[in-house]
Amino acid sequence: MKLKLRQAFDLAAIARDQGKAGRVEFQPVATRMWFETELYRAINRAVLAPYTAAREEILEAAKATKATLTQDAFSLSDVMSALRGSFTQAARLSEGPMRSLFEGEARRHDEKWIDQVNRVIGIDLKAVVSSRQIAPAIDLAVQGNVALIKGLSDDVAKRVETTIIDLVTRGASTKEISKALTDIGGFTKGRAQLIAITEANKFNGQLNRIRQEQAGVTRYTWSTARDNRVRPSHRAREGQTYRWDTPPAGGPPGSEPRCRCIARAVLDLDEGKFRRSERQRAGREGLRAVEAALGL
């Protein structure tokens, strides 16, 4: 879902008033590794921690089910029901900490953006940059990440249940079952890391877009992490200029999984002058055409 943005002020006009001309580029505001790490920890607290806490009970239930397939016993379904309940509660409790994380990162991003503009152009945006402007983006980010936690929890629960049932049915050893549970824990960590990296960079990309478009910045330069993990298609975009309203395939920087690319704000300060001169020329030509038609 793309947020509908309204331009709050014209940064290019302000820059011209300050005597700036030509093309001005700002240093990109990047995602903090701290934010990715804290997001990863939050996801793990909501998914991996309940799973780890239930792991031994799952193993014991699997052993009991294996030993007494035709008898009433403490069943795997009891343990899975309890695990799903723990996941549901953990996901619900994750919303508050998740909101605090995104709000804190948004404040940090605003400070960086304000500092960038102040150093490059010499104006302070504190009077026009408000937290209310990005509240919808924070709400969407929190909602989306809680949904991702719930989705990962459901996936883990399904993997546990289907894996254990399959192993017990095949008569697998306790060692094999234990290893399968360890593998599921590794899968959970890997998915949590992927979600954290992707969502942290996606949120940073959203903030860059919001703050730039609200300032009337229509163009950005694509900036990659410049290492061997950059997608070939993104590496080819390094230094290329794009418009926010016509993004390339896959979306603007930070849109795709694990994308660490950043949008560097660009101001073409001569563009406004060019457009004004074009309008003046068109007006003069139009006036001459009218006069010629009237025989003046």
Side-chain angles (χ1 to χ4, degrees), residues 143-161:
Q143 181 181 348
N145 277 266
V146 171
L148 287 170
I149 286 173
K150 291 177 180 177
L152 179 55
S153 297
D154 289 343
D155 198 3
V156 171
K158 289 175 184 176
R159 280 175 177 263
V160 171
E161 195 161 29

Side-chain angles (χ1 to χ4, degrees), residues 3 13 30 48 125 160 179 194 226 296:
L3 297 171
L48 186 62
L125 295 181
V160 171
K179 181 181 182 304
L194 173 61
R226 300 180 184 179
L296 299 176

Side-chain angles (χ1 to χ4, degrees), residues 39 41-53 81-99 142 145-154 188:
L39 198 53
R41 288 175 177 169
I43 297 168
N44 273 339
R45 283 194 296 270
V47 183
L48 186 62
Y51 170 70
T52 302
S81 178
L83 176 60
R84 287 189 169 94
S86 297
F87 279 152
T88 298
Q89 182 180 21
R92 185 170 60 250
L93 293 175
S94 71
E95 183 171 347
M98 195 72 70
R99 181 171 295 279
V142 172
N145 277 266
V146 171
L148 287 170
I149 286 173
K150 291 177 180 177
L152 179 55
S153 297
D154 289 343
T188 307

Side-chain angles (χ1 to χ4, degrees), residues 50-189:
Y51 170 70
T52 302
R55 187 180 182 279
E56 288 305 313
E57 285 188 357
I58 295 170
L59 183 59
E60 290 302 315
K63 289 162 61 178
T65 302
K66 178 183 174 184
T68 58
L69 282 174
T70 59
Q71 302 176 26
D72 291 333
F74 182 62
S75 68
L76 178 64
S77 62
D78 295 327
V79 178
M80 292 308 304
S81 178
L83 176 60
R84 287 189 169 94
S86 297
F87 279 152
T88 298
Q89 182 180 21
R92 185 170 60 250
L93 293 175
S94 71
E95 183 171 347
M98 195 72 70
R99 181 171 295 279
S100 296
L101 272 177
F102 281 102
E103 287 176 345
E105 187 63 9
R107 286 193 297 270
R108 196 274 312 186
H109 191 283
D110 282 352
E111 290 171 1
K112 290 288 186 181
W113 171 238
I114 290 170
D115 180 65
Q116 280 286 321
V117 174
N118 201 355
R119 286 193 291 110
V120 175
I121 296 180
I123 61 166
D124 192 344
L125 295 181
K126 289 178 182 177
V128 292
V129 171
S130 166
S131 60
R132 292 191 303 274
Q133 297 162 337
I134 54 174
I138 293 173
D139 290 341
L140 285 176
V142 172
Q143 181 181 348
N145 277 266
V146 171
L148 287 170
I149 286 173
K150 291 177 180 177
L152 179 55
S153 297
D154 289 343
D155 198 3
V156 171
K158 289 175 184 176
R159 280 175 177 263
V160 171
E161 195 161 29
T162 57
T163 299
I164 297 302
I165 290 173
D166 177 62
L167 290 172
V168 168
T169 302
R170 292 194 286 108
S173 66
T174 299
K175 184 177 180 180
E176 288 177 294
I177 296 172
S178 179
K179 181 181 182 304
L181 292 175
T182 299
D183 291 343
I184 290 173
F187 158 81
T188 307
K189 288 181 180 179

